[in-house]
Amino acid sequence: METKGITCKIPLELHNRISEDIRDSESTMSKFIEMVINEHYTKGANGMSKMRTMAFQVSEEFFQRIKDYLLQYEQTYGKRLSQKEFVIGLIEQALEEADEEFEAARAAQEEASAESECVDAQDSREDAGGEFPDEEEQPDTGEEYAASAEPIE
């Protein structure tokens, strides 16, 4: 593959940050820049304009807890986890759990609704059959009641 160089000036702070990331990932500047450019064009093709920003403030104590966690993560697993990856991971996990809870709640509602419909249908069949628990049961004599034209005295 033929290659060609790119030269540009960037702010020192950004350069230092990039250099730190390259050291952490044991990569090279060329590989890093190539990766960033490829990601840029890949995201652009997939609708990078659809990205949205979420921003919020937290207390200093909470912020330091997060920083401490990220440092411990890096020391324990030997790889860096950014604040963005950490927060997005937590949000994705919470949303997946919420989806499962919502699905379980919907299933429970559908089950309760089906049971209610079953009870309603049973009640309406009993009403239509003329069976009422209050009525006294008449013995079955095998003879049907015949209406008489003669008045009862």
Side-chain angles (χ1 to χ4, degrees), residues 9-112:
K9 301 263 183 199
I10 59 173
L12 180 59
E13 182 180 315
L14 180 58
H15 184 277
N16 291 339
R17 190 169 159 198
I18 292 169
S19 297
E20 182 181 331
D21 283 348
I22 290 170
R23 276 192 302 275
D24 289 347
S25 65
E26 299 177 358
S27 186
T28 65
M29 182 66 79
S30 293
K31 288 179 184 176
F32 181 83
I33 298 298
E34 182 180 352
M35 177 193 69
V36 169
I37 292 171
N38 281 327
E39 283 180 9
H40 170 77
Y41 284 110
T42 301
K43 286 181 181 177
N46 293 334
M48 187 173 171
S49 62
K50 295 186 182 199
M51 299 292 283
R52 301 291 303 264
T53 299
M54 292 182 69
F56 49 90
Q57 294 182 331
V58 296
S59 69
E60 179 66 28
E61 179 182 324
F62 188 68
F63 184 79
Q64 286 307 315
R65 285 183 62 199
I66 294 170
K67 285 294 201 184
D68 291 343
Y69 170 82
L70 295 173
L71 182 60
Q72 288 177 6
Y73 182 93
E74 184 174 359
Q75 291 170 349
T76 303
Y77 299 107
K79 68 177 194 176
R80 186 174 175 269
L81 179 64
S82 71
Q83 288 179 34
K84 178 182 175 181
E85 293 168 328
F86 176 63
V87 171
I88 289 175
L90 292 174
I91 293 170
E92 287 174 340
Q93 179 183 352
L95 290 173
E96 287 172 14
E97 290 172 5
D99 286 342
E100 290 172 6
E101 290 174 11
F102 293 148
E103 185 60 35
R106 277 189 220 105
Q109 287 175 342
E110 288 173 6
E111 185 177 318

Side-chain angles (χ1 to χ4, degrees), residues 120-132:
D120 290 345
Q122 184 178 357
D123 288 347
S124 66
R125 281 194 302 270
E126 288 177 1
D127 290 347
E131 296 178 15
F132 297 98

